[in-house]
Coordinates of all heavy atoms in Angstrom, one line a residue:
A1 N -75.1 -20.2 6.2 CA -74.4 -21.5 6.6 C -75.4 -22.5 7.2 O -75.1 -23.7 7.1 CB -73.3 -21.2 7.6
V2 N -76.5 -22.1 7.7 CA -77.3 -23.0 8.6 C -78.7 -23.2 8.0 O -79.3 -24.3 8.1 CB -77.4 -22.4 10.0 CG1 -78.4 -23.3 10.8 CG2 -76.0 -22.5 10.7
C3 N -79.3 -22.1 7.4 CA -80.8 -22.1 7.2 C -81.2 -22.7 5.8 O -80.3 -22.7 4.9 CB -81.3 -20.7 7.3 SG -81.1 -20.1 9.0
D4 N -82.4 -23.1 5.7 CA -83.0 -23.5 4.4 C -83.7 -22.3 3.7 O -83.6 -22.2 2.5 CB -84.0 -24.6 4.6 CG -83.5 -25.8 5.4 OD1 -82.4 -26.3 5.0 OD2 -84.1 -26.2 6.4
R5 N -84.4 -21.5 4.5 CA -85.1 -20.3 3.9 C -84.8 -19.1 4.8 O -84.3 -19.2 5.9 CB -86.6 -20.6 4.0 CG -87.1 -21.5 2.9 CD -88.7 -21.2 2.6 NE -89.4 -21.3 3.9 CZ -90.3 -20.4 4.3 NH1 -90.4 -19.2 3.6 NH2 -91.0 -20.5 5.4
Y6 N -85.1 -17.9 4.2 CA -84.9 -16.7 5.0 C -86.2 -15.9 4.9 O -86.9 -15.9 3.9 CB -83.7 -15.9 4.5 CG -83.9 -15.4 3.1 CD1 -84.5 -14.2 2.8 CD2 -83.5 -16.2 2.0 CE1 -84.7 -13.7 1.5 CE2 -83.6 -15.7 0.7 CZ -84.2 -14.5 0.5 OH -84.4 -14.1 -0.8
I7 N -86.4 -15.1 5.9 CA -87.5 -14.1 5.9 C -86.8 -12.8 6.4 O -86.1 -12.8 7.4 CB -88.7 -14.5 6.8 CG1 -89.6 -15.5 6.1 CG2 -89.5 -13.2 7.2 CD1 -90.7 -16.0 7.0
I8 N -87.1 -11.7 5.8 CA -86.6 -10.4 6.2 C -87.8 -9.5 6.5 O -88.7 -9.3 5.7 CB -85.8 -9.7 5.1 CG1 -84.6 -10.6 4.7 CG2 -85.3 -8.3 5.6 CD1 -83.8 -10.1 3.6
I9 N -87.9 -9.0 7.7 CA -88.9 -8.0 8.1 C -88.4 -6.6 8.3 O -87.2 -6.5 8.7 CB -89.8 -8.5 9.3 CG1 -89.0 -8.5 10.6 CG2 -90.4 -9.9 9.1 CD1 -89.8 -8.7 11.8
N10 N -89.2 -5.6 8.1 CA -88.7 -4.3 8.3 C -90.0 -3.4 8.6 O -91.0 -3.6 8.0 CB -88.1 -3.7 7.0 CG -87.4 -2.4 7.2 OD1 -86.8 -2.2 8.2 ND2 -87.4 -1.6 6.2
H11 N -89.9 -2.6 9.7 CA -91.0 -1.8 10.1 C -92.2 -2.6 10.4 O -93.4 -2.2 10.0 CB -91.3 -0.7 9.1 CG -90.1 0.3 8.9 ND1 -89.5 1.0 10.0 CD2 -89.4 0.6 7.8 CE1 -88.5 1.7 9.5 NE2 -88.4 1.5 8.2
G12 N -92.1 -3.9 10.9 CA -93.2 -4.7 11.2 C -93.9 -5.4 10.1 O -95.0 -5.9 10.3
T13 N -93.4 -5.3 8.9 CA -94.0 -6.0 7.7 C -93.0 -6.9 7.1 O -91.7 -6.7 7.2 CB -94.5 -5.0 6.7 OG1 -93.5 -4.2 6.2 CG2 -95.6 -4.1 7.4
L14 N -93.5 -7.8 6.3 CA -92.6 -8.7 5.6 C -92.0 -8.0 4.4 O -92.7 -7.5 3.5 CB -93.4 -10.0 5.1 CG -92.6 -11.1 4.4 CD1 -91.6 -11.7 5.4 CD2 -93.5 -12.1 3.8
A15 N -90.6 -7.9 4.3 CA -90.0 -7.2 3.3 C -89.4 -8.1 2.2 O -89.3 -7.7 1.0 CB -88.8 -6.4 3.9
A16 N -89.0 -9.3 2.5 CA -88.5 -10.3 1.5 C -88.5 -11.7 2.1 O -88.4 -11.8 3.4 CB -87.1 -9.9 1.1
E17 N -88.5 -12.7 1.3 CA -88.4 -14.1 1.7 C -87.9 -14.9 0.5 O -88.1 -14.5 -0.6 CB -89.7 -14.6 2.3 CG -90.9 -14.7 1.3 CD -92.1 -15.3 1.9 OE1 -92.0 -16.3 2.7 OE2 -93.2 -14.8 1.7
G18 N -87.3 -16.0 0.8 CA -86.8 -16.9 -0.3 C -86.2 -18.1 0.2 O -86.0 -18.3 1.4
N19 N -85.7 -18.9 -0.7 CA -85.0 -20.1 -0.5 C -83.5 -20.0 -0.6 O -83.0 -19.4 -1.6 CB -85.5 -21.2 -1.5 CG -85.0 -22.6 -1.2 OD1 -83.8 -22.8 -1.1 ND2 -86.0 -23.5 -1.0
L20 N -82.8 -20.4 0.4 CA -81.3 -20.2 0.4 C -80.7 -21.0 -0.7 O -79.7 -20.6 -1.3 CB -80.7 -20.5 1.8 CG -80.5 -19.4 2.8 CD1 -79.5 -18.4 2.2 CD2 -81.7 -18.7 3.1
H21 N -81.2 -22.2 -1.0 CA -80.7 -23.0 -2.1 C -80.7 -22.3 -3.4 O -79.8 -22.3 -4.2 CB -81.4 -24.3 -2.1 CG -80.9 -25.2 -3.3 ND1 -79.7 -25.9 -3.2 CD2 -81.5 -25.5 -4.5 CE1 -79.6 -26.5 -4.4 NE2 -80.6 -26.3 -5.1
D22 N -81.9 -21.6 -3.7 CA -82.0 -20.9 -4.9 C -81.0 -19.7 -5.0 O -80.4 -19.4 -6.0 CB -83.4 -20.4 -5.1 CG -84.4 -21.5 -5.3 OD1 -84.0 -22.6 -5.7 OD2 -85.6 -21.2 -5.1
L23 N -80.8 -19.1 -3.8 CA -79.9 -17.9 -3.8 C -78.5 -18.4 -4.0 O -77.8 -17.8 -4.8 CB -80.1 -17.2 -2.4 CG -79.4 -15.9 -2.3 CD1 -80.1 -14.9 -3.2 CD2 -79.6 -15.4 -0.9
D24 N -78.1 -19.5 -3.3 CA -76.7 -20.0 -3.5 C -76.5 -20.5 -4.9 O -75.3 -20.5 -5.4 CB -76.5 -21.1 -2.5 CG -76.4 -20.6 -1.1 OD1 -76.2 -19.4 -0.9 OD2 -76.6 -21.4 -0.1
A25 N -77.5 -20.9 -5.6 CA -77.4 -21.5 -6.9 C -77.3 -20.4 -8.0 O -77.2 -20.6 -9.2 CB -78.5 -22.4 -7.3
G26 N -77.4 -19.1 -7.5 CA -77.3 -18.0 -8.4 C -78.7 -17.6 -9.1 O -78.7 -17.1 -10.2
A27 N -79.8 -18.0 -8.4 CA -81.1 -17.7 -9.0 C -81.4 -16.2 -9.0 O -82.3 -15.7 -9.6 CB -82.2 -18.4 -8.2
G28 N -80.6 -15.4 -8.2 CA -80.8 -14.0 -8.2 C -80.4 -13.3 -9.5 O -79.7 -14.0 -10.3
Q29 N -80.7 -12.1 -9.7 CA -80.4 -11.4 -10.9 C -78.9 -11.1 -11.0 O -78.3 -10.6 -10.1 CB -81.2 -10.1 -11.0 CG -81.1 -9.5 -12.4 CD -82.0 -8.3 -12.5 OE1 -82.3 -7.6 -11.5 NE2 -82.5 -8.0 -13.6
A30 N -78.3 -11.5 -12.1 CA -76.8 -11.2 -12.3 C -76.6 -9.7 -12.5 O -77.5 -9.0 -12.9 CB -76.3 -12.0 -13.5
G31 N -75.4 -9.3 -12.2 CA -75.0 -7.9 -12.4 C -73.6 -7.7 -12.3 O -72.8 -8.6 -12.2
I32 N -73.2 -6.4 -12.3 CA -71.8 -6.0 -12.1 C -71.7 -5.2 -10.8 O -72.4 -4.2 -10.7 CB -71.3 -5.2 -13.3 CG1 -71.4 -5.9 -14.6 CG2 -69.9 -4.7 -13.1 CD1 -70.5 -7.1 -14.7

């Protein structure tokens, strides 16, 4: 609701990052 980008860390390392606009626009992989 608020952010432009996200970063996910796990066990002290960078696990994932990306742009929220791309994610909301369905840039992620489609599936069932």
Side-chain angles (χ1 to χ4, degrees):
V2 173
C3 299
D4 304 309
R5 282 200 310 126
Y6 65 89
I7 282 176
I8 301 172
I9 67 170
N10 192 35
H11 300 302
T13 61
L14 186 65
E17 64 179 318
N19 188 302
L20 264 298
H21 175 74
D22 291 342
L23 193 61
D24 292 340
Q29 190 174 31
I32 301 291

